């Protein structure tokens, strides 16, 4: 173990960012499966000498890290989830290099979706969707793991069943209270799994892809409520809490969840001038969309035993 620089406490890591890789799998029936990933790698390793003694003999080159992404993607002969690929990379770096003590792998999956033509799934056609699937793996050489999945850019909107009343009013308050407004947000969510070692991580193929789809559906269903009557939202804060609680109640292997839900505003349009007070009178029908400035609401919910 390289010594610390004399008189200092020194911490360091290095890695490769924004490694883009696409992978195509083909089954026996000729159907193609496609993913595109943006991979970020950070390694904690015993290479202090490179910083303080001009000795690079313990460094894993970042170009090697980049190449490793492509090699490991090639070695995945069967379709894998973004979480499985992150674990695969982390295992390689912590086991192959004795200097590496921790590997941190962050991956964002671009939302390519299969195209449907005349109601039929296309064998090899894909289109770009909206929200992105994210994953983070922090793995120690000992096998201790921290696994987090998430979604970015999940845009949700409902045109009624939302209000905002009873908040603090003072000399700077201009916002009118209402029980009827549009509610729109772009959800960023991340949830941490309770698995603490590599041996405890489920080995079922596509387990985490299925779980991602189930969690996303649960978030969406809670936001909207039943298809006919919906559900009333007294605030973004309350809706966020109910979404987080629903996920923890439904999935016992998720120990905590963080949600960020900006309040994207659709402002009522009331047009008037000094001669005419009702050029256009708002009747819950015409809005001015604006996302700057917007409200920022975020919170996390965890079980008492969770190590957030």
């Amino acid at each position: 173990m390289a010594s610390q620089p004399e008189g200092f406490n020194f911490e360091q890591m290095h890695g490769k960012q924004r490694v883009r890789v696409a992978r195509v799998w083909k089954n026996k029936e000729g159907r193609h499966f496609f993913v595109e990933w943006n991979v970020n790698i950070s390694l904690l390793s015993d290479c202090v000498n490179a910083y303080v003694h001009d000795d690079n003999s313990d460094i894993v080159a970042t170009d090697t890290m980049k190449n490793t992404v492509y090699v490991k993607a090639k070695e995945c002969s069967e379709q894998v989830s973004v979480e499985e690929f992150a674990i695969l990379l982390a295992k390689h770096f912590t086991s192959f290099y004795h200097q590496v003590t921790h590997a941190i792998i962050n991956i964002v999956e671009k939302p390519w979706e299969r195209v449907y033509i005349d109601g039929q799934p296309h064998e090899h056609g894909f289109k770009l969707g909206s929200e992105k699937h994210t994953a983070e793996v922090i793995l120690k050489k000992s096998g201790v793991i921290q696994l987090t999945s998430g979604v970015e850019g999940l845009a949700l909107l409902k045109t009624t069943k939302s209000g905002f009343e009873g908040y603090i009013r003072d000399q700077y308050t201009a916002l009118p209270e209402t029980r009827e407004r549009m509610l729109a947000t772009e959800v960023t969510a991340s949830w941490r799994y309770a698995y603490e070692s590599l041996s405890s991580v489920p080995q079922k193929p596509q387990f985490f892809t299925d779980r991602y789809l189930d969690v996303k559906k649960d978030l969406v269903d809670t936001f909207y409520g039943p298809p006919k009557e919906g559900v009333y939202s007294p605030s973004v804060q309350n809706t966020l809490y109910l979404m987080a609680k629903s996920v923890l109640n439904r999935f016992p292997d998720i120990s905590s969840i963080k949600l960020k839900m900006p309040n994207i505003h659709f402002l009522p349009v009331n047009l008037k001038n000094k001669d005419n007070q009702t050029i256009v009178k708002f009747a819950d029908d015409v809005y001015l969309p604006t996302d700057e400035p917007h409200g920022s609401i975020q919170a996390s919910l965890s079980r008492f035993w969770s190590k957030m």
Side-chain angles (χ1 to χ4, degrees):
M1 186 78 171
S3 61
Q4 291 284 340
E6 185 175 352
F8 298 96
N9 181 30
F10 182 60
E11 297 179 354
Q12 52 78 30
M13 69 172 65
H14 74 292
K16 199 72 165 181
Q17 304 295 300
R18 300 184 64 82
V19 182
R20 295 179 62 183
V21 58
R23 182 64 160 97
V24 176
W25 291 278
K26 306 167 189 176
N27 67 12
K28 295 178 180 178
E29 290 72 36
R31 173 171 288 193
H32 291 195
F33 298 87
F34 175 75
V35 294
E36 180 184 345
W37 293 323
N38 192 321
V39 181
N40 298 289
I41 302 164
S42 295
L43 301 183
L44 282 72
S45 62
D46 182 11
C47 61
V48 174
N49 284 332
Y51 292 86
V52 300
H53 295 307
D54 194 21
D55 178 0
N56 296 333
S57 59
D58 289 324
I59 285 185
V60 181
T62 65
D63 187 70
T64 302
M65 298 181 203
K66 176 201 69 178
N67 295 339
T68 301
V69 172
Y70 300 122
V71 171
K72 293 303 176 183
K74 176 68 174 179
E75 290 178 356
C76 292
S77 57
E78 300 292 333
Q79 188 178 1
V80 295
S81 68
V82 64
E83 289 86 357
E84 290 172 305
F85 191 66
I87 291 172
L88 180 68
L89 288 175
K91 286 172 62 178
H92 170 81
F93 289 119
T94 54
S95 62
F96 191 77
Y97 301 102
H98 69 85
Q99 299 92 339
V100 175
T101 59
H102 296 64
I104 304 172
I105 311 295
N106 285 275
I107 305 180
V108 177
E109 181 171 303
K110 205 164 184 177
W112 290 104
E113 301 171 350
R114 189 174 300 278
V115 168
Y116 282 71
I117 305 295
D118 295 330
Q120 297 297 316
H122 200 282
E123 292 294 284
H124 53 267
F126 298 85
K127 65 181 179 66
L128 196 59
S130 53
E131 65 271 5
K132 298 176 181 178
H133 182 175
T134 65
E136 179 185 73
V137 168
I138 302 175
L139 180 65
K140 296 183 180 180
K141 190 180 288 290
S142 63
V144 174
I145 194 171
Q146 188 178 103
L147 175 58
T148 304
S149 296
V151 61
E152 294 179 353
L154 178 59
L156 306 177
L157 178 150
K158 59 183 184 179
T159 55
T160 188
K161 294 283 186 175
S162 175
F164 192 48
E165 302 174 285
Y167 46 88
I168 294 172
R169 303 196 68 87
D170 56 36
Q171 64 269 36
Y172 303 120
T173 304
L175 183 70
E177 298 189 8
T178 182
R179 287 191 61 82
E180 177 58 46
R181 67 172 183 172
M182 191 178 294
L183 177 60
T185 188
E186 188 172 283
V187 179
T188 299
S190 62
W191 51 94
R192 183 173 298 174
Y193 290 98
Y195 315 119
E196 295 184 348
S197 66
L198 275 175
S199 60
S200 66
V201 175
Q203 300 300 308
K204 179 182 176 183
Q206 294 297 297
F207 172 86
F208 290 106
T209 297
D210 293 339
R211 180 54 54 86
Y212 165 77
L213 293 173
D214 287 341
V215 171
K216 186 173 69 169
K217 182 179 185 304
D218 194 67
L219 292 171
V220 170
D221 290 353
T222 306
F223 178 88
Y224 290 114
K228 291 292 185 182
E229 62 270 26
V231 62
Y232 181 73
S233 170
S235 66
V236 178
Q237 286 85 344
N238 180 253
T239 296
L240 181 155
Y241 173 74
L242 293 176
M243 292 165 69
K245 185 174 75 168
S246 179
V247 169
L248 292 189
N249 284 341
R250 182 176 175 189
F251 304 104
D253 63 341
I254 293 178
S255 61
S256 63
I257 182 169
K258 294 181 180 180
L259 288 172
K260 182 178 180 181
M261 293 174 55
N263 191 1
I264 300 174
H265 301 297
F266 286 77
L267 305 179
V269 172
N270 284 295
L271 294 184
K272 61 183 180 179
N273 59 31
K274 64 179 182 179
D275 300 319
N276 188 347
Q277 295 297 303
T278 56
I279 296 174
V280 169
K281 183 174 177 59
F282 178 68
D284 301 319
D285 51 2
V286 179
Y287 299 82
L288 170 63
T290 178
D291 57 5
E292 294 182 1
H294 63 247
S296 177
I297 296 95
Q298 53 188 312
S300 61
L301 192 67
S302 61
R303 306 184 195 280
F304 284 114
W305 48 263
S306 172
K307 300 177 182 178
M308 284 199 66

